Amino acid sequence: MMENKNIKQIIEDTVNRTVLKLKAADLLKDNRKSAYQKTEELLRNYPNFKLSDQPYTKKLCNKIETALRTIKDDYYYEVIALYYFEKYTREEVAEHFNTSETTISRNKRRLIDRLSTVLFSDDKIYEIFL
């Protein structure tokens, strides 16, 4: 009986180490949404959240607004509002800024990364180390 427990423990340890190595090498993905994906989802839903009078939703809106204030001085800040709240296409946002869609995409990504660090710092740390 003792021998079976030892074998099971060895197998479990081996599997856990292997899974960690595969994740670290980006060969195994988990089904969790990234901090970036969660941030985008929050921003897409933010206008609807603002209509709610539920305490948790109000608290979430405050957290989103706090995060948005951290990027408000950025030249491309308005990209977030136009794209997520006003539902502009990337092409329309590029026209608004009189620049290329590539520039808009790059800056939107940069701003979402900054917001996701504020909104989901634990997830960002997890993503860095795994």
Side-chain angles (χ1 to χ4, degrees), residues 13-111:
D13 291 345
T14 303
V15 168
N16 288 338
R17 281 195 309 272
T18 302
V19 167
L20 285 174
K21 286 179 183 177
L22 289 171
K23 281 183 180 179
D26 233 5
L27 297 172
L28 184 66
K29 299 284 183 186
D30 58 20
N31 289 331
R32 295 174 3 145
K33 289 182 182 177
S34 69
Y36 185 93
Q37 291 168 320
K38 290 178 188 179
T39 302
E40 281 197 307
E41 194 169 334
L42 281 180
L43 291 172
R44 278 189 208 100
N45 289 292
Y46 176 71
N48 293 328
F49 292 158
K50 291 285 291 176
L51 302 173
S52 174
D53 61 350
Q54 297 298 313
Y56 179 78
T57 307
K58 284 183 174 185
K59 190 174 183 178
L60 181 60
C61 284
N62 287 337
K63 189 168 184 177
I64 294 167
E65 290 161 6
T66 299
L68 288 170
R69 280 194 293 277
T70 67
I71 63 167
K72 73 176 175 153
D73 293 333
D74 192 286
Y75 177 77
Y76 287 100
Y77 170 79
E78 197 177 2
V79 168
I80 302 300
L82 293 173
Y83 190 80
Y84 292 101
F85 309 152
E86 303 297 325
K87 308 296 186 208
Y88 279 38
T89 64
R90 202 174 7 242
E91 181 180 308
E92 291 169 329
V93 175
E95 286 175 18
H96 176 81
F97 278 90
N98 196 30
T99 191
S100 69
E101 289 182 49
T102 303
T103 298
I104 295 303
S105 294
R106 183 177 50 252
N107 283 286
K108 180 179 80 71
R109 173 117 189 132
R110 179 180 58 78
L111 291 171

Side-chain angles (χ1 to χ4, degrees), residues 2-19:
M2 181 69 151
E3 211 171 286
N4 283 342
K5 281 187 177 182
N6 287 339
I7 291 172
K8 285 181 183 180
Q9 187 62 48
I10 290 169
I11 291 171
E12 186 177 322
D13 291 345
T14 303
V15 168
N16 288 338
R17 281 195 309 272
T18 302
V19 167

